[in-house]
Amino acid sequence: MQTHAPFFPDENAAGEVGDITAKAKILVVEDDENILNLLSAYLESSGHEVVEHRDGLSGFQAALSDTFDMCIFDVMLPHRTGTEIAEAMRSQGALTPILFLTALGSETNVLQGFAAGADDYVVKPFSPRELIVRIKAILRRSQMANEAEAQLLEVGPIQLDLEHPSCNLSGRTISLTPCEYKILRGLLERPRRVLSRGQLISLLYGNDVAVGPKAIDVHVHNLRAKIGDDAGVIIETVRGFGYRISISGDAGRKLQ
């Protein structure tokens, strides 16, 4: 087993680099036991769940069979290299952030690492403070991306921004009134389910405002006109009850 420079140059270094706030499940594949133990100890002390592997084959199997918030790979590993693990993950569409931690520091090595799908590349021996800052930055970016994705409601060709009310339909922006937006959101959050006019009134105005069902019919009429009929999005009238939304084509079949 190859011996590298100590992870923390002194026993107080871990406490000086600051905490990583976002809690995460992190896969660490490293054949240097000293680095592996110290890195895992710090990450676990920050509240993270760490899954350790000391060879490329077991790390490869873990990376492709489990879900992680971040992966940290040495490059020169027994049986499978970190580069091979990263390439396999990316070929399967995995977007998990990957950091390479390796003694291979030439420009060619670094470029190969990024080409394999790495989000960052740290060369041994390394500054523990710099490494922790990089891990924290990667987790923060990943968390922000996940939150942004969660704030987007996407059904078929419709994308509804849940934070800044707006609607995109097949690449074109649709200007909606607040009532139209609320109706569309209510229908999209319950695809193929019928919402009564009474439910839509409560959604728009609450239970303390006296509004007739005709007001809902007017909003739906205007909403239909804005959506059009060329994108396969249909707001259906269920006679005597209310409305539901349906999507035609492949996207619609996924809702069934």
Side-chain angles (χ1 to χ4, degrees), residues 178-190 193-207 209 211-221 223-224 235-238 241-245:
C179 287
E180 292 164 357
Y181 174 88
K182 290 179 181 178
I183 290 174
L184 182 58
R185 177 173 176 174
L187 293 171
L188 289 175
E189 288 178 338
R190 306 161 183 83
R193 285 180 52 188
V194 180
L195 292 185
S196 69
R197 289 176 174 83
Q199 288 174 310
L200 292 172
I201 289 173
S202 296
L203 186 65
L204 266 60
Y205 305 106
N207 298 318
V209 178
V211 177
K214 287 297 183 182
I216 298 298
D217 295 339
V218 171
H219 290 312
V220 171
H221 173 80
L223 185 56
R224 283 171 170 162
I235 300 178
E236 300 176 341
T237 300
V238 180
F241 191 74
Y243 299 96
R244 68 183 171 198
I245 196 163

Side-chain angles (χ1 to χ4, degrees), residues 164-185:
H164 306 288
S166 64
C167 178
N168 186 286
L169 175 62
S170 298
R172 63 184 176 94
T173 300
I174 300 177
S175 177
L176 301 177
T177 67
C179 287
E180 292 164 357
Y181 174 88
K182 290 179 181 178
I183 290 174
L184 182 58
R185 177 173 176 174

